[in-house]
Amino acid sequence: GAGVSQSPSNKVTEKGKDVELRCDPISGHTALYWYRQSLGQGLEFLIYFQGNSAPDKSGLPSDRFSAERTGGSVSTLTIQRTQQEDSAVYLCASSFSGEDSPLHFGNGTRLTVT
Amino acid sequence: AQSVTQLDSQVPVFEEAPVELRCNYSSSVSVYLFWYVQYPNQGLQLLLKYLSGSTLVKGINGFEAEFNKSQTSFHLRKPSVHISDTAEYFCAVTYTGRRALTFGSGTRLQVQP
């Protein structure tokens, strides 16, 4: 079956521009996560959606970052006024509800801010 | 705050040799522990997980990990590695009531012929 789909796979943008990254989770998965992977830094948690509950935004690094999930499915991560330090691979993952449910990751969006 | 430490950023090993990738976590409450693997140019996938019960957990591709509560460790092991095991390995932890996984910084396993 289809896995987690992310688009675009690569994005190059100029400093100061806004970008939108999209994630299509696996059908039926109620939980959706965004992580950021920087070189040599592991995965940094950004935000978590679970069903209709208020999202856990505790990992968003600044107010330039926001995310929404429409209809409990597709999610969009928006970065406003991008900075060079925002360059990273942005990973989306989805899972069934439950703390023991494994995450299924997309291949990520590689963002380069010039 | 919860944290995961993977002390070894890179582990070079010869083919057919045993390997151990170390993972320590900080938490005083019940935890769930995971190892994920990222092969070159691929997304992360689950290798194995510890939820409860037996402290020795077996995963895919011959890997296993042992949960040690007193040492707050969850080291990953394989008795004989293959070239195809070359990848980045991430340890992750979550605890009851907190859904988001906290990941370690990763260990790059490089298997040499």
Side-chain angles (χ1 to χ4, degrees):
Chain A
V4 176
S5 177
Q6 291 187 247
S7 60
S9 54
N10 281 285
K11 176 72 176 178
V12 180
T13 189
E14 292 180 352
K15 177 182 172 181
K17 301 279 190 180
D18 298 352
V19 295
E20 284 190 352
L21 312 180
R22 178 188 168 102
C23 173
D24 269 291
I26 292 173
S27 177
H29 281 185
T30 57
L32 187 146
Y33 311 75
W34 284 97
Y35 284 86
R36 178 167 68 176
Q37 184 176 21
S38 302
L39 191 62
Q41 303 245 344
L43 278 74
E44 175 188 7
F45 166 71
L46 298 177
I47 189 169
Y48 159 60
F49 296 90
Q50 172 58 56
N52 295 321
S53 303
D56 177 355
K57 303 180 182 180
S58 60
L60 294 178
S62 78
D63 59 7
R64 296 187 295 105
F65 288 73
S66 63
E68 63 177 19
R69 188 179 184 190
T70 53
S73 182
V74 172
S75 177
T76 302
L77 176 69
T78 301
I79 309 173
Q80 296 178 311
R81 305 181 303 281
T82 51
Q83 304 294 314
Q84 288 186 331
E85 61 263 28
D86 299 335
S87 296
V89 176
Y90 289 82
L91 294 171
C92 176
S94 70
S95 75
F96 291 112
S97 62
E99 294 145 343
D100 58 344
S101 298
L103 274 60
H104 296 259
F105 283 86
N107 287 333
T109 293
R110 181 175 298 278
L111 175 66
T112 304
V113 182
T114 61
Chain B
Q2 196 174 50
S3 67
V4 179
T5 302
Q6 292 182 246
L7 286 173
D8 306 305
S9 59
Q10 292 190 58
V11 173
V13 63
F14 288 108
E15 194 173 17
E16 298 184 6
V19 70
E20 178 179 84
L21 306 183
R22 296 180 291 170
C23 172
N24 288 86
Y25 65 93
S26 64
S27 176
S28 59
V29 298
S30 297
V31 295
Y32 300 131
L33 294 153
F34 304 79
W35 276 97
Y36 283 81
V37 59
Q38 187 174 31
Y39 296 105
N41 301 315
Q42 294 187 29
L44 279 86
Q45 58 183 281
L46 181 70
L47 198 58
L48 50 78
K49 62 181 178 181
Y50 171 79
L51 306 177
S52 64
S54 173
T55 57
L56 185 62
V57 179
K58 294 188 183 298
I60 61 172
N61 299 337
F63 283 92
E64 63 182 30
E66 186 159 17
F67 170 59
N68 188 317
K69 187 175 182 179
S70 62
Q71 297 185 3
T72 59
S73 68
F74 191 55
H75 300 332
L76 181 70
R77 302 186 184 101
K78 186 169 182 178
S80 175
V81 295
H82 302 286
I83 295 286
S84 59
D85 293 323
T86 294
E88 185 125 23
Y89 293 79
F90 293 92
C91 182
V93 62
T94 187
Y95 56 88
T96 53
R98 165 76 169 155
R99 186 63 181 93
L101 284 177
T102 298
F103 283 84
S105 56
T107 297
R108 182 169 298 278
L109 177 64
Q110 298 167 310
V111 182
Q112 304 164 0

